[in-house]
Amino acid sequence: MEWYLAVMRKYAVFTGRARRKEYWMFVLCNLGIALLLGLLGQLIGLKEQIANLYSLVVLLPSLAVGARRLHDTDRTGWWLLINLIPIVGTLVFLYFMVCEGQAGPNRFGEDPKAS
């Protein structure tokens, strides 16, 4: 939960770098919360409205942590747009997210693992 809150504190910060752990822990917590809210919505009869509202709230932090993760691999945040290409784009994006970050400083900032 600490990693999730760290990303939420940087709500719309698209600069800097994010470690793999920061990105994937945010994705994991985000998925769990969305599933719980979807289940809660089903139980109280609101269907997907609660989960959709939550997804809208975390859209900007999700994009920001994705851009910072790409920065860690020395790629610009514009690579997020590769997700618009069906299947192949998603697979390429997934590969970028699991790649190890560049050791040492790069054009986007200091190595987050070093600190």
Side-chain angles (χ1 to χ4, degrees):
M1 197 65 172
E2 164 188 333
W3 292 100
Y4 177 82
L5 294 174
V7 170
M8 293 304 280
R9 279 187 217 107
K10 299 177 188 174
Y11 193 83
V13 177
F14 287 83
T15 58
R17 296 167 63 174
R19 296 175 57 185
R20 275 186 294 193
K21 187 173 186 177
E22 179 181 356
Y23 177 79
W24 287 109
M25 293 304 283
F26 176 76
V27 168
L28 181 66
C29 289
N30 200 19
L31 181 63
I33 292 169
L35 288 174
L36 286 174
L37 289 175
L39 180 62
L40 178 67
Q42 291 292 330
L43 291 175
I44 62 174
L46 292 176
K47 300 194 181 187
E48 301 92 26
Q49 284 110 343
I50 294 175
N52 289 343
L53 182 61
Y54 172 74
S55 296
L56 188 60
V57 168
V58 296
L59 177 64
L60 214 49
S62 298
L63 292 174
V65 75
R68 290 194 312 271
R69 178 71 199 119
L70 286 166
H71 291 170
D72 194 39
T73 61
D74 204 27
R75 292 177 179 85
T76 180
W78 288 104
W79 275 100
L80 284 169
L81 296 176
I82 201 164
N83 284 304
L84 297 175
I85 302 170
I87 301 169
V88 173
T90 303
L91 291 174
V92 170
F93 181 74
L94 183 63
Y95 171 75
F96 290 162
M97 295 297 106
V98 299
C99 284
E100 187 169 351
Q102 184 181 16
N106 68 14
R107 61 188 166 141
F108 298 104
E110 294 296 320
D111 186 356
K113 269 189 173 177
S115 56

